[in-house]
Coordinates of all heavy atoms in Angstrom, one line a residue:
M1 N 3.2 -15.4 -3.5 CA 3.4 -14.0 -3.3 C 2.3 -13.4 -2.4 O 2.6 -12.6 -1.5 CB 3.4 -13.3 -4.6 CG 3.6 -11.8 -4.5 SD 3.9 -10.8 -6.0 CE 2.9 -11.6 -7.2
S2 N 1.1 -13.8 -2.5 CA 0.0 -13.3 -1.7 C 0.3 -13.7 -0.2 O -0.2 -13.0 0.7 CB -1.4 -13.7 -2.1 OG -1.5 -15.1 -2.1
D3 N 1.0 -14.8 0.0 CA 1.3 -15.2 1.4 C 2.1 -14.1 2.1 O 1.9 -13.8 3.2 CB 2.1 -16.5 1.4 CG 2.4 -16.9 2.8 OD1 1.5 -17.1 3.6 OD2 3.6 -17.1 3.1
V4 N 3.0 -13.4 1.3 CA 3.8 -12.3 1.9 C 2.9 -11.2 2.3 O 3.0 -10.6 3.4 CB 4.9 -11.8 0.9 CG1 5.5 -10.5 1.4 CG2 5.9 -12.9 0.7
L5 N 1.9 -10.9 1.4 CA 1.0 -9.8 1.7 C 0.1 -10.2 2.9 O -0.2 -9.3 3.8 CB 0.0 -9.6 0.5 CG 0.7 -9.0 -0.8 CD1 -0.3 -8.9 -1.9 CD2 1.3 -7.6 -0.5
N6 N -0.3 -11.4 3.0 CA -1.1 -11.8 4.1 C -0.4 -11.8 5.4 O -0.9 -11.3 6.5 CB -1.7 -13.2 3.9 CG -2.7 -13.3 2.8 OD1 -3.5 -12.3 2.6 ND2 -2.8 -14.4 2.1
R7 N 0.9 -12.2 5.4 CA 1.7 -12.2 6.6 C 1.9 -10.7 7.1 O 1.8 -10.4 8.2 CB 3.0 -12.9 6.4 CG 2.9 -14.4 6.4 CD 4.2 -15.1 6.3 NE 4.9 -14.5 5.1 CZ 6.2 -14.6 4.9 NH1 7.0 -15.3 5.7 NH2 6.8 -14.1 3.8
L8 N 2.2 -9.9 6.1 CA 2.4 -8.4 6.4 C 1.1 -7.8 6.9 O 1.1 -7.1 7.9 CB 2.9 -7.7 5.2 CG 3.3 -6.2 5.4 CD1 4.2 -6.0 6.5 CD2 3.9 -5.7 4.1
A9 N 0.0 -8.2 6.3 CA -1.3 -7.6 6.8 C -1.6 -8.0 8.2 O -2.1 -7.2 9.0 CB -2.4 -8.1 5.9
E10 N -1.2 -9.3 8.6 CA -1.4 -9.7 10.0 C -0.5 -8.9 11.0 O -1.0 -8.4 12.0 CB -1.0 -11.2 10.1 CG -2.0 -12.1 9.5 CD -1.5 -13.6 9.5 OE1 -0.5 -13.9 10.2 OE2 -2.2 -14.4 8.9
V11 N 0.7 -8.6 10.6 CA 1.6 -7.8 11.4 C 1.0 -6.3 11.5 O 1.0 -5.8 12.6 CB 3.0 -7.8 10.8 CG1 3.9 -6.7 11.6 CG2 3.7 -9.1 10.9
L12 N 0.6 -5.8 10.4 CA 0.1 -4.4 10.4 C -1.2 -4.3 11.3 O -1.4 -3.4 12.0 CB -0.2 -4.0 9.0 CG 1.0 -3.8 8.1 CD1 0.5 -3.4 6.7 CD2 2.0 -2.8 8.6
E13 N -2.0 -5.4 11.2 CA -3.2 -5.4 12.1 C -2.8 -5.4 13.6 O -3.4 -4.7 14.4 CB -4.0 -6.6 11.7 CG -5.4 -6.6 12.3 CD -6.3 -5.5 11.9 OE1 -6.2 -5.1 10.7 OE2 -7.1 -5.0 12.7
A14 N -1.8 -6.2 13.9 CA -1.3 -6.3 15.3 C -0.7 -5.0 15.8 O -0.8 -4.7 17.0 CB -0.3 -7.4 15.4
R15 N -0.1 -4.2 14.9 CA 0.5 -3.0 15.3 C -0.6 -1.9 15.7 O -0.2 -0.9 16.3 CB 1.3 -2.4 14.1 CG 2.6 -3.2 13.8 CD 3.6 -3.3 15.0 NE 4.8 -3.9 14.6 CZ 5.1 -5.2 14.7 NH1 4.2 -6.0 15.2 NH2 6.3 -5.6 14.4
K16 N -1.8 -2.2 15.4 CA -2.9 -1.2 15.7 C -3.0 -1.0 17.2 O -3.4 0.0 17.7 CB -4.2 -1.7 15.2 CG -4.4 -1.5 13.7 CD -5.8 -1.9 13.3 CE -6.0 -1.7 11.8 NZ -7.3 -2.1 11.4
T17 N -2.6 -2.1 18.0 CA -2.7 -2.0 19.4 C -1.3 -1.8 20.1 O -1.2 -1.8 21.3 CB -3.4 -3.2 20.0 OG1 -2.6 -4.4 19.6 CG2 -4.8 -3.3 19.5
A18 N -0.3 -1.7 19.3 CA 1.1 -1.5 19.8 C 1.3 -0.1 20.3 O 0.6 0.9 19.9 CB 2.1 -1.9 18.7
D19 N 2.3 0.1 21.2 CA 2.7 1.4 21.7 C 3.3 2.2 20.6 O 4.3 1.7 19.9 CB 3.7 1.2 22.8 CG 4.2 2.5 23.4 OD1 3.8 3.6 23.0 OD2 5.0 2.4 24.3
P20 N 2.8 3.4 20.3 CA 3.4 4.2 19.2 C 4.9 4.5 19.4 O 5.6 4.8 18.4 CB 2.6 5.5 19.3 CG 1.4 5.2 20.0 CD 1.7 4.0 20.9
E21 N 5.4 4.4 20.6 CA 6.8 4.6 20.9 C 7.7 3.4 20.5 O 8.9 3.4 20.4 CB 7.1 5.0 22.3 CG 6.4 6.3 22.7 CD 6.9 7.5 21.9 OE1 8.1 7.6 21.6 OE2 6.0 8.2 21.4
S22 N 7.0 2.2 20.3 CA 7.7 1.0 20.0 C 7.6 0.5 18.6 O 8.3 -0.5 18.2 CB 7.2 -0.1 20.9 OG 5.8 -0.5 20.5
S23 N 6.8 1.2 17.8 CA 6.6 0.7 16.4 C 6.3 1.9 15.5 O 5.5 2.7 15.7 CB 5.4 -0.2 16.4 OG 4.9 -0.4 15.1
Y24 N 7.0 1.9 14.3 CA 6.9 2.9 13.3 C 5.4 2.9 12.8 O 4.8 3.9 12.7 CB 7.8 2.6 12.2 CG 7.5 3.4 10.9 CD1 7.8 4.8 10.9 CD2 6.9 2.9 9.8 CE1 7.6 5.6 9.7 CE2 6.7 3.6 8.7 CZ 7.0 5.0 8.7 OH 6.7 5.7 7.5
V25 N 4.9 1.7 12.6 CA 3.5 1.6 12.1 C 2.5 2.0 13.1 O 1.6 2.8 12.8 CB 3.2 0.1 11.6 CG1 1.7 0.0 11.2 CG2 4.1 -0.2 10.4
A26 N 2.7 1.6 14.4 CA 1.8 2.1 15.4 C 1.8 3.6 15.5 O 0.8 4.2 15.8 CB 2.2 1.5 16.8
K27 N 3.0 4.2 15.3 CA 3.1 5.7 15.3 C 2.3 6.3 14.2 O 1.6 7.3 14.4 CB 4.6 6.1 15.3 CG 4.8 7.6 15.5 CD 6.3 7.9 15.5 CE 6.9 7.5 16.8 NZ 8.2 7.9 17.0
L28 N 2.4 5.7 13.0 CA 1.6 6.2 11.9 C 0.1 6.1 12.2 O -0.6 7.0 12.0 CB 1.9 5.4 10.6 CG 3.1 5.8 9.8 CD1 3.2 4.8 8.6 CD2 2.9 7.2 9.3
Y29 N -0.3 4.9 12.7 CA -1.7 4.8 13.1 C -2.1 5.9 14.1 O -3.2 6.4 14.0 CB -2.0 3.4 13.7 CG -2.0 2.2 12.8 CD1 -1.5 1.0 13.2 CD2 -2.4 2.3 11.5 CE1 -1.5 -0.1 12.3 CE2 -2.4 1.2 10.6 CZ -2.0 0.0 11.1 OH -1.9 -1.1 10.2
H30 N -1.3 6.1 15.1 CA -1.6 7.1 16.1 C -1.7 8.5 15.6 O -2.6 9.2 16.0 CB -0.5 7.0 17.2 CG -0.7 7.9 18.4 ND1 -1.6 7.7 19.3 CD2 -0.1 9.1 18.7 CE1 -1.6 8.7 20.2 NE2 -0.7 9.5 19.8
K31 N -0.9 8.8 14.6 CA -1.0 10.1 13.9 C -2.2 10.3 13.1 O -2.6 11.4 12.8 CB 0.3 10.4 13.1 CG 1.5 10.6 13.9 CD 2.7 10.8 13.0 CE 4.0 11.1 13.8 NZ 5.1 11.3 12.9
G32 N -2.8 9.2 12.6 CA -4.0 9.3 11.9 C -3.9 9.2 10.4 O -2.8 9.1 9.8
L33 N -5.1 9.3 9.7 CA -5.2 9.1 8.3 C -4.3 10.1 7.5 O -3.7 9.7 6.6 CB -6.6 9.2 7.9 CG -6.9 9.0 6.4 CD1 -6.5 7.7 5.9 CD2 -8.4 9.3 6.1
D34 N -4.3 11.3 7.9 CA -3.5 12.3 7.1 C -2.0 12.0 7.1 O -1.4 12.1 6.0 CB -3.7 13.7 7.7 CG -5.1 14.3 7.3 OD1 -5.8 13.8 6.4 OD2 -5.5 15.3 8.0
A35 N -1.5 11.5 8.2 CA -0.1 11.1 8.2 C 0.2 9.9 7.3 O 1.2 9.9 6.6 CB 0.4 10.8 9.6
I36 N -0.8 9.0 7.3 CA -0.6 7.8 6.4 C -0.7 8.2 5.0 O 0.1 7.8 4.1 CB -1.7 6.7 6.8 CG1 -1.4 6.2 8.2 CG2 -1.6 5.6 5.8 CD1 -2.5 5.4 8.8
L37 N -1.7 9.1 4.7 CA -1.8 9.5 3.3 C -0.6 10.3 2.8 O -0.2 10.2 1.7 CB -3.1 10.4 3.1 CG -4.4 9.7 3.4 CD1 -5.5 10.7 3.3 CD2 -4.6 8.5 2.4
K38 N 0.0 11.1 3.7 CA 1.2 11.8 3.4 C 2.3 10.9 3.0 O 3.0 11.1 2.0 CB 1.6 12.7 4.6 CG 2.8 13.6 4.3 CD 3.2 14.5 5.5 CE 4.4 15.2 5.2 NZ 4.9 16.0 6.3
K39 N 2.5 9.8 3.8 CA 3.5 8.8 3.5 C 3.3 8.1 2.2 O 4.2 7.9 1.4 CB 3.6 7.8 4.6 CG 4.3 8.2 5.9 CD 5.7 8.8 5.6 CE 6.7 7.8 5.1 NZ 8.0 8.3 4.8
V40 N 2.0 7.8 1.9 CA 1.7 7.2 0.6 C 2.1 8.1 -0.6 O 2.7 7.7 -1.5 CB 0.2 6.8 0.5 CG1 -0.2 6.3 -0.9 CG2 -0.1 5.6 1.5
G41 N 1.7 9.4 -0.4 CA 2.1 10.4 -1.4 C 3.6 10.5 -1.6 O 4.1 10.6 -2.7
E42 N 4.3 10.6 -0.5 CA 5.8 10.7 -0.5 C 6.4 9.5 -1.3 O 7.3 9.6 -2.1 CB 6.4 10.8 0.9 CG 6.1 12.1 1.6 CD 6.5 12.1 3.0 OE1 7.2 11.1 3.5 OE2 6.3 13.1 3.7
E43 N 5.9 8.3 -0.9 CA 6.4 7.1 -1.5 C 6.1 7.0 -3.0 O 6.9 6.5 -3.8 CB 6.0 5.8 -0.8 CG 6.4 5.8 0.7 CD 7.9 5.9 0.9 OE1 8.7 5.7 0.0 OE2 8.3 6.2 2.0
A44 N 4.9 7.5 -3.4 CA 4.5 7.5 -4.8 C 5.5 8.4 -5.6 O 5.9 8.1 -6.7 CB 3.1 7.9 -5.0
T45 N 5.7 9.6 -5.0 CA 6.7 10.5 -5.6 C 8.1 9.9 -5.8 O 8.7 10.0 -6.8 CB 6.7 11.8 -4.8 OG1 5.4 12.4 -4.8 CG2 7.7 12.8 -5.4
E46 N 8.5 9.3 -4.7 CA 9.9 8.7 -4.7 C 9.9 7.5 -5.8 O 10.9 7.3 -6.4 CB 10.3 8.2 -3.3 CG 10.5 9.3 -2.4 CD 10.7 8.9 -1.0 OE1 10.8 7.7 -0.7 OE2 10.9 9.8 -0.1
T47 N 8.8 6.8 -5.9 CA 8.7 5.8 -6.9 C 8.9 6.4 -8.3 O 9.6 5.8 -9.2 CB 7.4 5.0 -6.8 OG1 7.4 4.3 -5.5 CG2 7.3 3.9 -7.9
V48 N 8.2 7.5 -8.6 CA 8.2 8.1 -9.9 C 9.7 8.6 -10.1 O 10.2 8.4 -11.2 CB 7.2 9.3 -9.9 CG1 7.5 10.2 -11.1 CG2 5.8 8.8 -9.9
M49 N 10.3 9.2 -9.1 CA 11.7 9.7 -9.3 C 12.6 8.5 -9.6 O 13.5 8.6 -10.4 CB 12.1 10.5 -8.1 CG 11.3 11.8 -7.9 SD 11.5 12.7 -6.4 CE 13.2 12.6 -6.0
A50 N 12.4 7.4 -8.9 CA 13.3 6.2 -9.1 C 13.1 5.7 -10.5 O 14.1 5.3 -11.2 CB 13.0 5.1 -8.1
A51 N 11.9 5.7 -11.0 CA 11.6 5.2 -12.4 C 12.3 6.2 -13.4 O 12.9 5.7 -14.4 CB 10.1 5.1 -12.6
K52 N 12.2 7.5 -13.1 CA 12.9 8.4 -14.0 C 14.4 8.2 -14.0 O 15.0 8.4 -15.1 CB 12.6 9.9 -13.6 CG 11.1 10.3 -13.8 CD 10.7 10.4 -15.2 CE 11.0 11.8 -15.7 NZ 10.7 12.0 -17.1
D53 N 15.0 7.8 -12.9 CA 16.4 7.6 -12.8 C 16.8 6.3 -13.6 O 17.9 6.1 -14.0 CB 16.9 7.4 -11.4 CG 16.9 8.7 -10.6 OD1 16.8 9.8 -11.3 OD2 16.9 8.7 -9.4
G54 N 15.8 5.4 -13.7 CA 16.0 4.1 -14.4 C 16.9 3.1 -13.8 O 17.4 2.2 -14.5
V55 N 17.1 3.2 -12.5 CA 18.0 2.2 -11.8 C 17.0 1.1 -11.2 O 16.3 1.4 -10.3 CB 18.8 2.8 -10.7 CG1 19.6 1.8 -10.0 CG2 19.7 3.9 -11.3
P56 N 17.1 -0.1 -11.8 CA 16.1 -1.1 -11.4 C 16.0 -1.4 -9.8 O 14.9 -1.5 -9.3 CB 16.6 -2.4 -12.1 CG 17.3 -1.9 -13.3 CD 17.9 -0.6 -12.8
E57 N 17.2 -1.4 -9.2 CA 17.2 -1.6 -7.7 C 16.5 -0.5 -7.0 O 15.8 -0.8 -6.0 CB 18.6 -1.8 -7.2 CG 19.4 -3.0 -7.7 CD 20.0 -2.8 -9.1 OE1 20.0 -1.6 -9.6 OE2 20.4 -3.8 -9.7
K58 N 16.6 0.7 -7.4 CA 16.0 1.8 -6.8 C 14.4 1.8 -7.0 O 13.7 2.1 -6.1 CB 16.5 3.2 -7.3 CG 17.9 3.5 -6.8 CD 18.4 4.8 -7.4 CE 17.6 6.0 -7.0 NZ 18.2 7.3 -7.5
I59 N 14.1 1.4 -8.2 CA 12.6 1.2 -8.5 C 12.0 0.2 -7.6 O 11.0 0.4 -7.0 CB 12.4 0.9 -10.0 CG1 12.9 2.0 -10.9 CG2 10.9 0.6 -10.3 CD1 13.0 1.7 -12.4
V60 N 12.6 -1.0 -7.5 CA 12.1 -2.1 -6.6 C 12.0 -1.6 -5.2 O 11.0 -1.8 -4.5 CB 13.0 -3.3 -6.8 CG1 12.6 -4.4 -5.7 CG2 12.8 -3.9 -8.2
Y61 N 13.1 -0.9 -4.7 CA 13.1 -0.5 -3.3 C 11.9 0.5 -3.1 O 11.2 0.4 -2.1 CB 14.4 0.2 -3.0 CG 14.6 0.7 -1.6 CD1 15.1 -0.2 -0.7 CD2 14.2 2.0 -1.3 CE1 15.2 0.3 0.7 CE2 14.4 2.4 0.1 CZ 14.9 1.6 1.0 OH 15.0 2.0 2.3
E62 N 11.7 1.5 -4.0 CA 10.7 2.5 -3.8 C 9.3 1.9 -3.9 O 8.4 2.3 -3.2 CB 10.9 3.7 -4.7 CG 12.2 4.5 -4.4 CD 12.3 5.0 -3.0 OE1 11.3 5.1 -2.3 OE2 13.4 5.4 -2.5
V63 N 9.1 1.0 -4.9 CA 7.8 0.3 -5.0 C 7.5 -0.5 -3.7 O 6.4 -0.5 -3.3 CB 7.8 -0.5 -6.3 CG1 6.5 -1.4 -6.3 CG2 7.8 0.4 -7.5
A64 N 8.5 -1.1 -3.2 CA 8.3 -1.8 -1.9 C 7.8 -0.9 -0.8 O 6.9 -1.2 -0.1 CB 9.5 -2.6 -1.5
D65 N 8.4 0.3 -0.7 CA 8.0 1.3 0.3 C 6.6 1.8 0.0 O 5.7 1.9 0.9 CB 8.9 2.5 0.2 CG 10.2 2.3 1.0 OD1 10.3 1.3 1.7 OD2 11.1 3.2 0.9
L66 N 6.3 2.0 -1.3 CA 4.9 2.4 -1.7 C 3.9 1.3 -1.3 O 2.8 1.6 -0.7 CB 4.9 2.7 -3.2 CG 3.5 3.1 -3.7 CD1 2.9 4.3 -3.0 CD2 3.6 3.4 -5.2
W67 N 4.2 0.1 -1.7 CA 3.2 -1.0 -1.4 C 3.1 -1.1 0.1 O 1.9 -1.3 0.6 CB 3.7 -2.3 -1.9 CG 3.6 -2.5 -3.4 CD1 3.3 -1.5 -4.3 CD2 3.7 -3.7 -4.1 NE1 3.2 -2.0 -5.6 CE2 3.5 -3.4 -5.5 CE3 4.1 -5.0 -3.8 CZ2 3.6 -4.3 -6.5 CZ3 4.1 -5.9 -4.8 CH2 3.9 -5.6 -6.1
F68 N 4.2 -1.0 0.9 CA 4.1 -1.1 2.3 C 3.1 -0.1 2.9 O 2.2 -0.4 3.7 CB 5.5 -1.0 3.0 CG 5.5 -1.0 4.5 CD1 5.4 -2.2 5.1 CD2 5.5 0.2 5.2 CE1 5.4 -2.2 6.5 CE2 5.4 0.2 6.6 CZ 5.4 -1.0 7.2
H69 N 3.4 1.2 2.5 CA 2.5 2.2 3.1 C 1.1 2.2 2.6 O 0.2 2.5 3.3 CB 3.2 3.6 2.8 CG 4.4 3.8 3.7 ND1 5.7 3.4 3.3 CD2 4.5 4.3 4.9 CE1 6.5 3.7 4.3 NE2 5.8 4.2 5.3
T70 N 0.9 1.6 1.4 CA -0.5 1.4 0.9 C -1.1 0.3 1.8 O -2.3 0.4 2.1 CB -0.5 1.0 -0.6 OG1 0.2 2.1 -1.3 CG2 -1.9 0.9 -1.1
L71 N -0.4 -0.7 2.1 CA -0.9 -1.7 3.0 C -1.3 -1.2 4.4 O -2.3 -1.6 5.0 CB 0.0 -2.9 3.1 CG 0.2 -3.8 1.9 CD1 1.4 -4.7 2.0 CD2 -1.1 -4.5 1.6
V72 N -0.5 -0.3 4.9 CA -0.8 0.4 6.1 C -2.1 1.1 6.0 O -3.0 1.1 6.9 CB 0.3 1.4 6.6 CG1 -0.1 2.2 7.8 CG2 1.6 0.6 6.9
L73 N -2.3 1.8 4.9 CA -3.6 2.5 4.6 C -4.7 1.6 4.6 O -5.8 1.8 5.2 CB -3.5 3.3 3.3 CG -4.8 3.9 2.8 CD1 -5.3 5.0 3.8 CD2 -4.6 4.5 1.4
L74 N -4.6 0.5 3.9 CA -5.7 -0.5 3.8 C -6.0 -1.0 5.3 O -7.2 -1.0 5.6 CB -5.3 -1.7 3.0 CG -5.2 -1.5 1.5 CD1 -4.6 -2.7 0.8 CD2 -6.6 -1.2 0.9
A75 N -5.0 -1.3 6.0 CA -5.3 -1.8 7.4 C -6.0 -0.8 8.2 O -6.9 -1.1 9.0 CB -4.0 -2.3 8.0
Q76 N -5.5 0.5 8.1 CA -6.1 1.5 8.9 C -7.5 1.7 8.6 O -8.4 2.1 9.4 CB -5.3 2.8 8.7 CG -5.6 4.0 9.6 CD -6.7 4.9 9.1 OE1 -7.1 4.8 8.0 NE2 -7.2 5.7 10.0
Q77 N -7.9 1.4 7.3 CA -9.3 1.6 6.8 C -10.1 0.3 7.0 O -11.3 0.2 6.6 CB -9.3 2.0 5.4 CG -8.7 3.3 5.1 CD -9.6 4.4 5.6 OE1 -10.7 4.5 5.2 NE2 -9.0 5.3 6.5
G78 N -9.5 -0.7 7.7 CA -10.2 -2.0 7.9 C -10.3 -2.8 6.7 O -11.2 -3.7 6.6
L79 N -9.5 -2.6 5.7 CA -9.5 -3.4 4.5 C -8.3 -4.4 4.4 O -7.3 -4.2 5.1 CB -9.4 -2.5 3.3 CG -10.6 -1.5 3.2 CD1 -10.3 -0.4 2.1 CD2 -11.9 -2.2 2.9
K80 N -8.4 -5.4 3.6 CA -7.4 -6.5 3.5 C -6.8 -6.5 2.1 O -7.5 -6.2 1.1 CB -8.1 -7.8 3.8 CG -8.8 -7.9 5.1 CD -7.8 -8.3 6.2 CE -8.6 -8.5 7.5 NZ -7.9 -7.9 8.6
P81 N -5.6 -7.0 2.0 CA -5.0 -7.1 0.7 C -5.8 -8.0 -0.3 O -5.8 -7.8 -1.5 CB -3.6 -7.7 0.9 CG -3.3 -7.4 2.4 CD -4.6 -7.3 3.0
E82 N -6.5 -9.0 0.3 CA -7.3 -10.0 -0.5 C -8.3 -9.2 -1.3 O -8.7 -9.6 -2.4 CB -7.9 -11.0 0.4 CG -7.0 -11.9 1.1 CD -6.6 -11.4 2.5 OE1 -7.3 -10.6 3.1 OE2 -5.5 -11.8 2.9
Q83 N -8.8 -8.1 -0.7 CA -9.9 -7.4 -1.4 C -9.3 -6.7 -2.6 O -10.0 -6.6 -3.7 CB -10.5 -6.3 -0.4 CG -11.3 -7.0 0.7 CD -11.7 -6.0 1.8 OE1 -10.9 -5.7 2.7 NE2 -12.9 -5.4 1.6
V84 N -8.1 -6.2 -2.5 CA -7.5 -5.6 -3.7 C -7.1 -6.7 -4.7 O -7.3 -6.5 -5.9 CB -6.2 -4.8 -3.3 CG1 -5.5 -4.3 -4.5 CG2 -6.5 -3.7 -2.3
L85 N -6.6 -7.8 -4.2 CA -6.3 -8.9 -5.2 C -7.6 -9.4 -5.9 O -7.5 -9.7 -7.1 CB -5.6 -10.0 -4.4 CG -4.2 -9.7 -3.9 CD1 -3.7 -10.9 -3.0 CD2 -3.2 -9.4 -5.0
A86 N -8.7 -9.5 -5.1 CA -9.9 -9.9 -5.8 C -10.4 -8.9 -6.8 O -10.9 -9.3 -7.9 CB -11.0 -10.0 -4.7
E87 N -10.2 -7.6 -6.6 CA -10.5 -6.6 -7.6 C -9.6 -6.7 -8.8 O -10.1 -6.6 -9.9 CB -10.4 -5.2 -7.0 CG -10.7 -4.1 -8.0 CD -12.1 -4.1 -8.6 OE1 -13.0 -4.8 -8.1 OE2 -12.2 -3.4 -9.6
L88 N -8.3 -7.0 -8.6 CA -7.4 -7.2 -9.7 C -7.8 -8.4 -10.5 O -7.8 -8.4 -11.7 CB -6.0 -7.3 -9.2 CG -5.4 -6.0 -8.7 CD1 -4.0 -6.2 -8.1 CD2 -5.2 -4.9 -9.9
D89 N -8.2 -9.5 -9.8 CA -8.6 -10.7 -10.4 C -9.9 -10.5 -11.2 O -10.0 -11.0 -12.4 CB -8.9 -11.8 -9.4 CG -9.1 -13.1 -10.0 OD1 -8.3 -13.6 -10.9 OD2 -10.1 -13.7 -9.7
R90 N -10.8 -9.7 -10.7 CA -12.1 -9.3 -11.4 C -11.7 -8.6 -12.7 O -12.4 -8.9 -13.7 CB -12.9 -8.4 -10.6 CG -14.3 -8.1 -11.2 CD -15.1 -7.0 -10.4 NE -14.5 -5.7 -10.6 CZ -14.6 -4.9 -11.7 NH1 -15.2 -5.3 -12.7 NH2 -14.0 -3.7 -11.7
R91 N -10.7 -7.8 -12.7 CA -10.4 -7.0 -13.9 C -9.5 -7.8 -14.9 O -9.4 -7.4 -16.1 CB -9.6 -5.8 -13.5 CG -10.3 -4.8 -12.7 CD -9.4 -3.6 -12.4 NE -10.1 -2.7 -11.4 CZ -9.5 -1.6 -11.0 NH1 -8.3 -1.2 -11.5 NH2 -10.1 -0.8 -10.2
F92 N -9.0 -9.0 -14.5 CA -8.1 -9.7 -15.3 C -8.8 -10.2 -16.6 O -9.9 -10.7 -16.5 CB -7.6 -11.0 -14.6 CG -6.4 -11.6 -15.2 CD1 -5.1 -11.1 -15.0 CD2 -6.5 -12.7 -16.1 CE1 -4.0 -11.7 -15.6 CE2 -5.5 -13.3 -16.7 CZ -4.2 -12.8 -16.5
G93 N -8.2 -9.9 -17.7 CA -8.9 -10.3 -19.0 C -9.9 -9.3 -19.5 O -10.4 -9.5 -20.5
L94 N -10.1 -8.3 -18.7 CA -11.1 -7.2 -19.1 C -10.3 -6.1 -19.6 O -9.3 -5.6 -19.1 CB -11.8 -6.8 -17.8 CG -12.9 -5.7 -18.0 CD1 -14.0 -6.2 -18.8 CD2 -13.4 -5.3 -16.6
S95 N -10.7 -5.6 -20.8 CA -10.0 -4.5 -21.4 C -9.9 -3.3 -20.4 O -11.0 -3.0 -19.8 CB -10.7 -4.1 -22.7 OG -10.3 -2.8 -23.1
G96 N -8.8 -2.7 -20.3 CA -8.7 -1.5 -19.5 C -9.7 -0.4 -19.9 O -10.2 0.3 -19.1
L97 N -9.9 -0.3 -21.2 CA -10.9 0.7 -21.7 C -12.3 0.4 -21.3 O -13.1 1.2 -20.9 CB -10.7 0.8 -23.2 CG -9.4 1.4 -23.8 CD1 -9.4 1.3 -25.3 CD2 -9.1 2.8 -23.2
T98 N -12.6 -0.9 -21.4 CA -13.9 -1.4 -20.9 C -14.1 -1.2 -19.5 O -15.2 -0.7 -19.0 CB -14.1 -2.9 -21.3 OG1 -14.0 -3.1 -22.7 CG2 -15.5 -3.4 -20.9
E99 N -13.1 -1.5 -18.7 CA -13.2 -1.4 -17.2 C -13.4 0.1 -16.9 O -14.2 0.5 -16.0 CB -12.0 -1.9 -16.5 CG -12.1 -2.1 -15.0 CD -11.9 -0.8 -14.3 OE1 -11.1 0.0 -14.7 OE2 -12.5 -0.7 -13.2
K100 N -12.7 1.0 -17.5 CA -12.8 2.4 -17.2 C -14.2 2.9 -17.6 O -14.8 3.7 -16.9 CB -11.7 3.2 -18.0 CG -11.7 4.7 -17.6 CD -10.5 5.4 -18.3 CE -10.5 6.8 -17.9 NZ -9.4 7.5 -18.5
A101 N -14.7 2.5 -18.7 CA -16.0 2.9 -19.2 C -17.1 2.4 -18.2 O -18.1 3.2 -17.9 CB -16.3 2.3 -20.6
Q102 N -16.9 1.2 -17.6 CA -17.9 0.7 -16.6 C -17.9 1.6 -15.4 O -18.9 1.8 -14.8 CB -17.6 -0.7 -16.3 CG -17.9 -1.7 -17.4 CD -17.4 -3.1 -17.0 OE1 -16.7 -3.4 -16.1 NE2 -17.9 -4.0 -17.9
R103 N -16.7 2.1 -15.0 CA -16.7 2.9 -13.8 C -17.3 4.3 -14.0 O -17.9 4.9 -13.1 CB -15.2 3.2 -13.4 CG -14.6 2.0 -12.7 CD -13.2 2.4 -12.1 NE -12.2 2.3 -13.2 CZ -11.2 3.2 -13.4 NH1 -11.0 4.1 -12.5 NH2 -10.4 3.0 -14.4
Q104 N -17.3 4.8 -15.2 CA -17.8 6.1 -15.5 C -19.3 6.1 -15.7 O -20.0 7.1 -15.6 CB -17.2 6.7 -16.8 CG -15.7 7.0 -16.6 CD -15.0 7.5 -17.9 OE1 -15.6 7.4 -18.9 NE2 -13.8 7.9 -17.7
G105 N -19.9 4.9 -15.9 CA -21.3 4.7 -16.2 C -22.1 4.9 -14.9 O -22.9 5.5 -14.5

């Protein structure tokens, strides 16, 4: 699964130098952080709405859009999916309550 994330990350990185007229992602990069954040917010809202509808196919579709735009955000910020996966791995087996308490300390 992480192979898909890595391949997508490579494409998103390459789009940083693409012509904004030739690529949706390049256009997002060109518009800047606020435009990317707006898309992440829109996709998060659409994911919530799909979950409320309870149609599995819609949920998967919207989560894919949310993950995609979140990956665009990571790339724009110079971050890699591996960093998020490493953080998830760090938390694996750690109580959510313990992890939250560590962040607040």
